[in-house]
């Protein structure tokens, strides 16, 4: 088995719009998700995230390219690996007139799991006590939690979550993120698709960034953001401070009333170096790069989170 | 598992209740409309008869017949006066309007009504069962658990088929058992030939009911919407016959859906075929016979077309 849990090569999805125009939702995407941890799948709405996930799960056909899950080519060998995969694609989709328990019981039966599994899954997502309410009476957060409970029926090795915190209140978001982190720590590989940069940065160990159906960057979150940190340093004698720091190998740029120091060293080295020369720091503020700046740099796009969702249109 | 999903659907439960209740209502209607005459009915009829007999024109006509029986074809009657009275005078049963139970007639009467109701309701059952999965979006969720689309399609179709077979068999058996009891209680047992014919049409009706459900299911899996399927069916019902008639002219009856259903159900049916009588001078019978095999083949071709289209579409198209 490949060490990669998810692999795509030259994956492409074209569709014809209602006006007959050919549009490309996913453009020759090469995706590689290693086993273990939480992997972010980051891109603005319409970048092709959902379409990619739907192709991986056999819900949409690829126009071109190859895909593999756990080293097995899909969709051909999807039935042999599906029992290892839990997925929530877009919004949760259950029968509205059935209770939460009934919905899960039907899915559990389809994979030969006992009823006790349903109780355990409901317990895990804190829906015990509301399991006999009709699905249509659930809040959005409860629906999301039920969808996650459905994925847990399989005891998945790979969990694919597409925008799982969409529409949730802050408490619900925190709850879902905690659950995802917990699952990642338990050894489940989680592919978290999101257009929320902070979410990926908080929850994920690694990430792939896509835009307009193409892969823009991939790696650990640290790699993507970069290891060096920038500090804003203010002190009485800026010129002397800049010379002192440059002398120990730090990159320093003088601004109007402060210095911008770019270094891999810890901040206490800056204060100690300056203090040794009798220069005392009035302000030292870390200015870390984040995924947002990385993303904007990669795409030159300021439309993050806006614009038409091409990926979703492709599915219709 | 799909049977459980089917059973848990409220609309399905309502339709199944309809499958039991409507035939029961039809049976009750049959029992009431063919109830034996009561003494009050006979008294009322006798009063009407007496009133009619008192009319002078009747007496006049009977006397004329008695004088010239050859004008009425009664010259050979042993008792001419009595024969004229019977032939020309009103009889008691003229005033007893209600039909009495005739088992043989029910095969194409109320029995056909029950089959029609069952076909319509089970077709709706198949439609709503598939339509719900598409409307709620739960189809994609199910595919995340069973990605083999053909297997999922077949499992759902089997649930509809089995339900249709059980419902069709139970309801039709119950209905005809009810008719038998009714006939026994009124001492109007049907002939062995009538019951054999009924048995044959019931045996053919049960798969018809079940396969109507599969047809509704298959079309909805293709259209992915209950409303779209019902809309198409409505259009076919309203415009289908007109279209067939417009395209095929005189020979169209053979291709009409109701004619083929009747041919299948009743082991052949006579239909209006004006194409047989092209010479207006020569007297001819403008009807043809459509056999069970021809009718059954027609229905089977329609079903197979719907199933092939549905499976192909379900396997090929992206699932929302």
């Amino acid at each position: 088995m490949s060490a990669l849990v998810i692999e795509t090569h030259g994956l492409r999805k074209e569709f014809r719009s209602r006006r007959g125009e050919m549009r490309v939702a996913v453009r020759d995407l090469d995706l590689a998700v290693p086993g273990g941890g939480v992997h972010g799948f980051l891109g603005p709405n319409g970048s092709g995230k959902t379409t990619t996930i739907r192709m991986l799960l056999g819900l949409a056909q690829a126009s071109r390219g190859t895909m593999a899950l756990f080293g097995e080519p899909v969709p051909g060998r999807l039935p042999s690996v599906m029992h290892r995969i839990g997925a929530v694609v877009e919004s949760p989709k259950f029968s509205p007139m059935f209770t939460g328990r009934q919905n899960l019981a039907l899915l559990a039966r389809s994979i030969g799991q006992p009823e006790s599994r349903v109780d355990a899954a409901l317990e895990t997502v804190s829906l015990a006590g509301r399991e006999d309410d009709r699905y249509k009476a659930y809040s959005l957060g409860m629906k999301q939690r039920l969808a996650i409970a459905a994925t847990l029926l399989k005891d998945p090795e790979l969990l694919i979550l597409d925008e799982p915190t969409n529409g949730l209140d802050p408490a619900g978001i925190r709850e879902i993120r905690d659950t995802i982190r917990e699952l990642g720590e338990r050894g489940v590989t989680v592919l978290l698709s999101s257009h929320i940069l902070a979410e990926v940065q908080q929850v994920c160990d690694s990430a792939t960034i896509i835009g307009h159906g193409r892969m823009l960057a991939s790696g650990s979150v640290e790699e993507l953001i970069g290891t060096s940190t920038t500090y804003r340093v203010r002190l009485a004698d800026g010129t002397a401070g800049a010379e002192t720091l440059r002398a120990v190998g730090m990159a320093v740029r003088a601004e109007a009333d402060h210095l911008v120091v770019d270094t891999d060293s810890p901040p206490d080295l800056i204060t100690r170096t300056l203090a040794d020369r009798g220069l005392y720091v009035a302000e030292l503020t870390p200015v870390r790069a984040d995924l947002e700046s990385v993303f904007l740099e990669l795409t030159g796009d300021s439309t993050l989170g806006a614009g038409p969702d091409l990926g979703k249109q492709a599915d219709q | 598992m799909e049977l459980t999903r089917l059973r848990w659907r409220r609309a399905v439960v309502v339709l199944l209740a309809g499958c039991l209740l409507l035939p029961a209502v039809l049976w009750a209607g049959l029992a009431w409309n063919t109830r034996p005459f009561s003494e009050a009915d006979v008294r009322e009829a006798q009063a009407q008869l007496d009133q009619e007999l008192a009319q002078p024109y009747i007496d006049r006509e009977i006397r004329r017949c008695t004088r010239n029986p050859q004008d009425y074809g009664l010259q050979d009657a042993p008792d001419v006066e009595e024969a004229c009275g019977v032939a020309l005078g009103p009889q008691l049963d003229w005033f007893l309007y209600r039909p009495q139970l005739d088992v043989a007639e029910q095969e194409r009467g109320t029995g056909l009504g029950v089959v029609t109701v069952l076909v319509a309701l089970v077709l709706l059952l198949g439609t709503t069962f598939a339509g719900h999965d598409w409307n709620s979006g739960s189809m994609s969720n199910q595919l995340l658990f069973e990605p083999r689309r053909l297997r999922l399609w077949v499992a759902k179709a089997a649930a509809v088929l089995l339900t249709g077979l059980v419902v069709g068999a139970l309801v039709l058996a119950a209905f005809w058992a009810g008719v038998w009891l009714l006939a026994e209680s009124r001492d109007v047992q049907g002939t062995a030939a009538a019951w054999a014919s009924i048995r044959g049409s019931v045996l053919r009706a049960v798969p018809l009911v079940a396969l109507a459900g599969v047809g509704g299911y298959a079309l909805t899996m293709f259209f992915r919407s209950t409303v779209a399927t019902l809309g198409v069916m409505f259009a076919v019902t309203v415009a289908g016959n007109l279209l067939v008639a417009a395209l095929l002219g005189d020979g169209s009856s053979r291709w009409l859906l109701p004619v083929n259903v009747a041919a299948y159900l009743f082991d052949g049916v006579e239909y209006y075929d004006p194409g047989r009588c092209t010479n207006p001078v020569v007297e001819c019978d403008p009807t043809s016979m459509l056999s069970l095999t021809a009718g059954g083949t027609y229905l089977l071709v329609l079903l197979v077309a719907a199933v092939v289209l549905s499976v192909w579409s379900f396997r090929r198209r992206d699932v929302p």
Side-chain angles (χ1 to χ4, degrees), chain A residues 134-260:
Chain A
R134 282 200 174 140
Y135 175 73
K136 69 173 186 176
Y138 281 6
S139 68
L140 190 57
M142 289 165 74
K143 288 177 179 174
Q144 290 283 17
R145 279 187 278 154
L146 187 71
I148 291 178
T151 66
L152 301 179
L153 293 172
K154 297 180 184 176
D155 199 6
E157 294 166 50
L158 168 64
L159 198 54
I160 299 177
L161 302 172
D162 185 18
E163 312 267 8
T165 55
N166 257 6
L168 296 185
D169 58 22
I173 290 172
R174 181 184 294 179
E175 218 170 288
I176 296 288
R177 285 180 185 166
D178 287 347
T179 306
I180 293 169
R181 260 195 294 262
E182 203 182 298
L183 288 165
E185 283 161 12
R186 271 167 36 187
V188 177
T189 305
V190 182
L191 179 69
L192 172 67
S193 160
S194 177
H195 67 275
I196 303 166
L197 296 154
E199 181 167 85
V200 172
Q201 197 163 344
Q202 280 174 34
V203 178
C204 299
D205 308 307
S206 57
T208 294
I209 301 174
I210 68 168
H212 302 298
R214 288 179 199 281
M215 191 183 79
L216 302 174
S218 190
S220 71
V221 171
E222 290 301 320
E223 280 168 7
L224 289 171
I225 294 170
T227 48
S228 67
T229 305
T230 303
Y231 296 94
R232 173 192 161 97
V233 181
R234 204 156 54 81
L235 69 171
D237 187 349
T239 312
E243 281 172 12
T244 305
L245 293 173
R246 281 189 192 114
V248 294
M250 295 183 190
V252 182
R253 193 173 73 247
E255 297 283 332
D257 63 342
H258 66 274
L259 303 176
V260 176

Side-chain angles (χ1 to χ4, degrees), chain B:
Chain B
M1 199 272 296
E2 291 301 335
L3 267 176
T4 307
R5 190 189 302 281
L6 184 79
R7 191 163 47 85
W8 283 354
R9 290 271 298 113
R10 203 162 52 167
V12 169
V13 173
V14 170
L15 288 167
L16 289 177
C19 286
L20 298 177
L21 286 177
L22 289 177
V25 168
L26 287 174
W27 179 86
L30 173 69
W32 176 253
N33 292 330
T34 60
R35 65 192 183 281
F37 298 114
S38 63
E39 284 181 14
D41 292 330
V42 175
R43 266 201 312 275
E44 192 182 333
Q46 188 61 53
Q48 286 176 318
L49 175 66
D50 293 344
Q51 200 177 0
E52 192 66 17
L53 284 171
Q55 296 294 325
Y57 75 92
I58 291 181
D59 191 41
R60 226 172 19 242
E61 196 66 22
I62 291 173
R63 272 190 276 120
R64 196 176 292 151
C65 170
T66 309
R67 279 198 303 275
N68 302 301
Q70 67 281 0
D71 293 351
Y72 297 85
L74 298 172
Q75 64 277 15
D76 297 329
D79 183 342
V80 170
E81 190 171 352
E82 190 190 335
C84 286
V86 170
L88 300 173
Q91 305 300 313
L92 183 65
D93 58 358
W94 292 14
F95 302 95
L96 292 167
Y97 305 110
R98 213 165 39 238
Q100 292 302 285
L101 182 64
D102 180 331
V103 172
E105 273 183 12
Q106 300 316 313
E107 186 184 353
R108 293 182 187 216
T110 314
L112 178 59
V114 171
V115 173
T116 307
V117 163
L118 287 178
V119 164
L121 292 179
V122 173
L123 188 145
L124 272 177
L125 182 148
T127 301
T128 186
F129 178 51
H132 176 75
D133 282 348
W134 290 110
N135 295 344
S136 65
S138 69
M139 187 64 80
S140 63
N141 216 4
Q142 293 171 47
L143 284 169
L144 295 179
F145 283 74
E146 175 48 88
R148 286 165 289 201
R149 293 193 185 190
L150 182 61
R151 182 177 282 209
L152 191 66
W153 194 101
V154 169
K156 287 176 181 292
V160 174
L161 182 73
L162 191 64
T163 305
L165 285 174
V166 170
V167 168
L170 284 180
V171 173
L172 285 171
F175 172 78
W176 284 108
V179 172
W180 181 81
L181 282 175
L182 213 56
E184 283 289 311
S185 69
R186 295 176 187 176
D187 206 18
V188 286
Q189 298 90 337
T191 61
W195 280 113
S197 176
I198 287 167
R199 203 166 35 246
S201 67
V202 167
L203 286 175
R204 287 186 294 274
V206 172
L208 180 73
V209 168
L211 292 174
V214 174
Y217 161 78
L219 284 177
T220 312
M221 290 295 279
F222 175 72
F223 290 117
R224 300 182 167 193
S225 153
T226 309
V227 175
T229 306
L230 294 180
V232 167
M233 284 181 183
F234 181 72
V236 166
T237 308
V238 172
N241 288 355
L242 291 175
L243 189 70
V244 170
L247 288 174
L248 301 175
D250 282 350
S252 62
S253 299
R254 189 254 174 271
W255 302 106
L256 297 180
L257 185 62
V259 173
N260 284 275
V261 171
Y264 168 75
L265 268 184
F266 304 127
D267 193 8
V269 73
E270 274 190 355
Y271 66 97
Y272 180 61
D273 185 9
R276 280 170 60 92
C277 303
T278 48
N279 187 344
V281 182
V282 180
E283 192 178 318
C284 97
D285 177 12
T287 58
S288 290
M289 190 70 187
L290 188 64
S291 69
L292 182 154
T293 311
T297 306
Y298 176 96
L299 297 177
L300 197 64
V301 167
L302 287 185
L303 180 70
V304 168
V307 167
V308 167
L309 200 64
S310 176
V311 169
W312 174 82
S313 152
F314 185 54
R315 293 191 71 186
R316 295 283 306 168
R317 287 167 66 193
D318 293 351
V319 173

Side-chain angles (χ1 to χ4, degrees), chain A residues 233-247 252 259 267-284:
Chain A
V233 181
R234 204 156 54 81
L235 69 171
D237 187 349
T239 312
E243 281 172 12
T244 305
L245 293 173
R246 281 189 192 114
V252 182
L259 303 176
D268 56 327
L269 187 66
I270 297 174
T271 52
R272 201 177 334 125
T273 306
L274 291 170
D276 286 348
R277 290 295 187 91
L279 300 165
Y280 298 103
V281 170
E283 178 196 337
L284 189 145

Side-chain angles (χ1 to χ4, degrees), chain A residues 65-88:
Chain A
T66 58
M67 301 175 279
L69 292 169
F70 296 105
E72 299 283 353
V74 292
R77 300 273 300 153
L78 194 58
S80 66
V81 292
M82 203 48 145
H83 66 281
R84 301 165 71 184
I85 304 165
V88 181

